[in-house]
């Protein structure tokens, strides 16, 4: 049986002072593959594997939970670029099917690969800026780490 602490928390002016985190700056730094806090250290150690911590400011990246959101966002972004282009070309020009597939499929594939890491970095930066998923300095009591 787990017992919870019933001691009241006393809030003072010092407990309310926390590091200000700008959402857009953190997302831009993450999009560039840099640490969302300092903008200097590398965010990724492999193509989609985040580093354990920042080499400059020692920010722990392990609590991030990007999961499938970057892939969904990449599908939306690339789809909004590719689909109007395909519709415009197919309605104004008559192209052979083999030429259509030879042009559209590689573009879609490489555009998705090019955007996947920056979008994941931006999602991790957003999570850090909004203090989500363990990026909070004072996690609530009674919630086990993921």
């Amino acid at each position: 049986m787990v017992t919870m602490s019933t001691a009241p928390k006393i809030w003072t002016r010092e407990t309310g002072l926390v590091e200000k985190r700008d959402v857009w700056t953190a997302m831009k730094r993450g999009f560039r593959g840099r640490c969302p806090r300092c903008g200097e250290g590398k965010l990724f150690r492999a193509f989609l594997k985040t580093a354990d911590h920042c080499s400059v400011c020692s920010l722990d990246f392990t609590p991030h939970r990007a999961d499938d959101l970057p892939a969904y966002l990449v599908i939306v972004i690339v789809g909004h670029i590719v689909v109007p282009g395909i519709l415009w070309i197919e309605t104004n020009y008559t192209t052979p099917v083999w030429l259509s597939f030879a042009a559209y499929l590689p573009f879609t594939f490489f555009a998705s690969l090019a955007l996947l890491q920056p979008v994941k970095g931006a999602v991790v930066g957003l999570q850090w800026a909004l203090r989500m998923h363990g990026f909070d300095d004072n996690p609530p009591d009674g919630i086990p780490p993921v």
Side-chain angles (χ1 to χ4, degrees), residues 28-112:
K28 282 190 273 186
R29 289 174 177 171
F31 191 83
R32 290 190 337 252
R34 298 292 175 196
C35 171
R37 180 194 286 165
C38 68
E40 298 293 324
K42 290 186 177 182
L43 182 60
F44 296 99
R45 62 180 162 94
F47 181 62
L48 289 177
K49 296 281 187 186
T50 56
D52 293 332
H53 63 280
C54 176
S55 59
V56 177
C57 68
S58 301
L59 174 66
D60 185 21
F61 297 135
T62 56
H64 90 84
R65 296 288 176 260
D67 297 331
D68 292 336
L69 180 61
Y72 293 136
L73 293 177
V74 167
I75 289 170
V76 169
I77 294 167
V78 173
H80 278 82
I81 294 170
V82 171
V83 171
I86 290 173
L87 289 174
W88 181 75
I89 290 171
E90 293 298 323
T91 55
N92 293 325
Y93 304 102
T94 305
T95 58
V97 175
W98 68 269
L99 182 62
S100 298
F101 282 131
Y104 306 145
L105 292 178
F107 177 78
T108 304
F109 177 73
F110 288 116
S112 299

Side-chain angles (χ1 to χ4, degrees), residues 12-18:
T12 63
R13 181 173 294 193
E14 287 76 30
T15 57
L17 296 176
V18 293

